[in-house]
Amino acid sequence: MSIIKKIEEKQIKKLTENKKIPDFKSGDTLKVHVKIKDGDKFRIQIFEGVVIARDGSGSNASFTVRRESYGVGVERKFPLYSPSIEKIEKTRIGKVRRSKLFFLRRLSGKKARIVEDLAAASAEKNSAK
């Protein structure tokens, strides 16, 4: 293993020591709790949407979450190991056949829905017990 990878692993351990990042993929619905600075105070804002892409690896990993708000598509790209992310919750497991779901940008309403993978959801619940 190269020196750079070892340093990167140490950084990732340091950034994730007090928070748990779930395994997720494109098509899953997430609730991302983000720290927002309001003047001199911090508050937590929840951004819930479908993961349409995962990019990068190691400490440079990021993911893009999309949701529709009042008929307008809103996308937000988050660095996976960012200190501004308080926690990530996986609410639904989507059943998709590709890793980048950019075609959802053209769709809205019922057409943009992703089928839930019930078999994977039940398997995950059983393994958590």
Side-chain angles (χ1 to χ4, degrees):
M1 185 183 289
S2 70
I3 297 170
I4 295 172
K5 290 214 183 238
K6 287 180 183 176
I7 294 170
E8 203 170 72
E9 280 184 6
K10 282 183 185 176
Q11 287 289 24
I12 290 171
K13 261 187 192 167
K14 189 174 116 181
L15 290 169
T16 60
E17 63 188 12
N18 57 355
K19 57 181 160 182
K20 185 180 175 291
I21 297 173
D23 291 333
F24 62 91
K25 58 181 179 37
S26 293
D28 293 349
T29 303
L30 299 180
K31 282 185 181 179
V32 183
H33 298 251
V34 186
K35 289 181 196 171
I36 304 288
K37 187 171 182 181
D38 244 354
D40 57 341
K41 297 178 193 171
F42 284 96
R43 64 183 176 86
I44 303 292
Q45 186 176 46
I46 299 172
F47 190 87
E48 183 174 7
V50 176
V51 178
I52 62 168
R54 293 228 16 197
D55 298 312
S57 63
S59 62
N60 294 328
S62 62
F63 59 100
T64 307
V65 180
R66 179 181 175 82
R67 75 167 179 209
E68 205 155 302
S69 179
Y70 299 103
V72 179
V74 179
E75 286 184 15
R76 197 152 172 205
K77 191 167 187 172
F78 297 101
L80 187 59
Y81 301 109
S82 172
S84 65
I85 293 179
E86 187 69 26
K87 71 176 177 179
I88 299 172
E89 293 177 45
K90 183 164 45 167
T91 56
R92 291 180 66 201
I93 298 173
K95 192 173 186 180
V96 294
R97 294 172 58 147
R98 55 189 70 232
S99 62
K100 308 285 186 190
L101 304 177
F102 297 135
F103 66 90
L104 290 177
R105 292 174 176 165
R106 298 191 301 272
L107 305 175
S108 64
K110 287 185 179 181
K111 292 178 185 175
R113 282 191 291 190
I114 292 176
V115 177
E116 188 170 4
D117 191 355
L118 298 174
S122 66
E124 188 173 290
K125 284 182 183 177
N126 290 339
S127 67
K129 288 182 180 178

